[in-house]
């Protein structure tokens, strides 16, 4: 990927059908769809698959869809899905063993033949993908399947024109405008018209953009697009003060506030499942009594399960307080030591999808204030 180039065009909404069709010629195209009362990511082939005219209402522990008064195609914040489900699938066969007369054959999984195009990737999601890249692609133990999916994915980002009350990307410097990591970035312009400003971020994006029906962008179009993300940032009501936060959370390791959160936490793991940066997995061997085959399968796991920290003799993190502390301090403190960045991109999903409305921003702020002697 390259930084944005000078290729900036303006597209009519109908041109997105050409974009989808061009990408579908060589890839599985994935984008937002309205399903089961939420906006989720799934395969799309038509412009009509996009959730035109819908928005989401979010708060801690709450999510619902509502119609908009316009036909915006991307007029919502993020839903329960993230792109991690495609780059790091929830369940993946690592290898198969087959019993033979001489012993066991180890068979690798079939090579991934699908290449993806993601449409509607938000700035915080690009940041989340970059975080997972550090762990799964660029770290000392690269996941080759992940790396292959990433290498081949074509990314159409959409700058946010709507902020949910749970969003806090502006305070994390991860949004609402996509800075890098995309092939094409769109900004939906709804200022008395319905058009898209489209900016290429790679040579592949530039080539595709040049093939779409479009017109050159004027200074007015650029200003209108800039205003979209400026207004979205200004509309964010949640903010996390990250200054010195890793050290302050480390110093708060034994604060009674962890017990207070544990009174509300169900240890359900929802927050880790919806988080676009969480990458923890477990492996299990599955045997088939009808054949001589067995499979080793990797699946998403959560630090909220008792088994996740099981070592010989028992689980290390026995209490809910210990598990919540592990999760929050990993995201906002020890991740910085490990990967040089926070493990949180401010998408707000863990706040919305926590069944008891536990708010990472509020809990981190409470712990910071406790360390500052304010409680
Ligand atoms: S910790 Fe919460 S707000 Fe941060 S990236 Fe994960 S789901 Fe989003
Ligand atoms: S913080 Fe909320 S979502 Fe996470 S494990 Fe606890 S109850 Fe479940």
């Amino acid at each position: 990927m390259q930084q944005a180039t000078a290729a900036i065009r303006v597209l009519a909404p109908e041109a997105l059908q050409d974009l989808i069709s061009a990408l579908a010629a060589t890839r599985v195209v994935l984008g937002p769809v309205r399903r089961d009362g939420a906006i989720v990511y799934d395969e799309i082939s038509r412009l009509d698959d996009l959730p035109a005219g819908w928005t989401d209402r979010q708060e801690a522990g709450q999510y619902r869809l509502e119609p908009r008064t316009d036909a915006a195609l991307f007029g919502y914040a993020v839903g329960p899905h993230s792109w991690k489900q495609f780059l790091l699938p929830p369940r993946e066969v690592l290898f198969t063993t087959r019993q033979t007369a001489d012993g066991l054959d180890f068979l690798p999984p079939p090579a991934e033949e699908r290449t993806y195009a993601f449409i509607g990737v938000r700035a915080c999601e690009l940041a989340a993908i970059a975080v997972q890249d550090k762990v799964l692609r660029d770290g000392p133990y690269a996941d080759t399947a992940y790396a292959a999916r990433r290498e081949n994915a074509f990314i159409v980002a959409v700058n946010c024109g709507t902020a949910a009350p749970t969003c806090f990307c502006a305070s994390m410097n991860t949004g609402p405008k996509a800075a890098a990591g995309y092939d094409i970035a769109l900004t939906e312009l709804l200022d008395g018209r319905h058009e898209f400003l489209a900016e290429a971020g790679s040579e592949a994006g530039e080539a595709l953009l040049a093939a779409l029906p479009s017109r050159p962008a004027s200074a007015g179009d650029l200003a209108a697009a800039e205003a979209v993300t400026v207004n979205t940032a200004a509309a964010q009501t949640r903010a996390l003060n990250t200054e010195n936060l890793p050290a302050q959370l480390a110093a708060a390791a034994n604060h009674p506030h962890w017990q207070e959160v544990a009174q509300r936490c169900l240890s359900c793991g929802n927050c880790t499942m919806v988080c676009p940066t969480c990458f923890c997995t477990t492996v299990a061997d599955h045997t088939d009594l009808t054949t001589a085959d067995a499979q080793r399968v990797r699946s998403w796991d959560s630090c909220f399960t008792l088994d996740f920290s099981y070592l010989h003799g028992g689980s290390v993190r026995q209490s809910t307080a210990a598990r919540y502390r592990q999760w929050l301090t990993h995201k906002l403190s020890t991740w910085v030591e490990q990967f040089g960045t926070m493990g949180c991109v401010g998408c707000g999903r863990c706040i919305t999808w926590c069944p008891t409305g536990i708010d990472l921003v509020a809990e981190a702020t409470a712990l910071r204030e406790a360390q500052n002697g304010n409680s």
Side-chain angles (χ1 to χ4, degrees), residues 6-145:
I8 304 177
R9 309 287 298 177
V10 175
L11 313 178
E14 297 72 33
L16 296 196
Q17 179 62 66
D18 298 276
L19 175 69
I20 294 168
S21 300
L23 290 169
T26 55
R27 298 163 187 276
V28 176
V29 182
L30 299 155
V33 299
R34 184 165 64 93
R35 195 177 69 214
D36 300 333
I39 291 172
V40 298
Y41 299 145
D42 206 344
E43 199 167 334
I44 61 171
S45 59
R46 300 174 307 131
L47 192 56
D48 287 349
D49 292 332
L50 299 176
W54 287 91
T55 192
D56 47 17
R57 292 271 173 259
Q58 302 192 42
E59 251 307 345
Q62 298 173 32
Y63 178 99
R64 71 167 185 271
L65 293 184
E66 289 181 353
R68 290 173 58 100
T69 55
D70 58 26
L73 297 172
F74 300 97
Y76 53 87
V78 291
H81 281 186
S82 72
W83 305 101
K84 134 178 132 172
Q85 69 186 304
F86 306 108
L87 295 171
L88 179 69
R91 184 182 187 281
E92 189 165 25
V93 174
L94 297 180
F95 60 80
T96 299
T97 59
R98 179 157 298 154
Q99 200 164 29
T100 66
D102 303 323
L104 282 180
D105 279 347
F106 285 78
L107 312 172
E112 177 68 82
E113 290 179 350
R114 289 170 300 181
T115 54
Y116 292 125
F118 299 155
I119 294 188
V121 182
R122 304 300 191 168
C124 64
E125 299 183 304
L126 289 172
I129 291 170
V131 166
Q132 290 216 321
D133 285 350
K134 284 192 174 206
V135 181
L136 298 165
R137 186 190 66 182
D138 306 332
Y141 307 104
D143 180 325
T144 51

Side-chain angles (χ1 to χ4, degrees), residues 168 271 274-277 327 331 343-350 360:
F168 56 102
C271 46
V274 295
C275 179
T277 67
W327 183 71
K331 289 277 170 218
C344 172
V345 296
C347 73
R349 285 182 178 88
C350 58
L360 167 138

Side-chain angles (χ1 to χ4, degrees), residues 126-172:
L126 289 172
I129 291 170
V131 166
Q132 290 216 321
D133 285 350
K134 284 192 174 206
V135 181
L136 298 165
R137 186 190 66 182
D138 306 332
Y141 307 104
D143 180 325
T144 51
Y146 174 91
R149 292 184 202 108
R150 269 295 280 129
E151 178 67 25
N152 298 320
F154 188 98
I155 293 182
V156 179
V158 173
N159 292 318
C160 289
T162 301
T166 43
C167 295
F168 56 102
C169 66
S171 66
M172 304 300 285

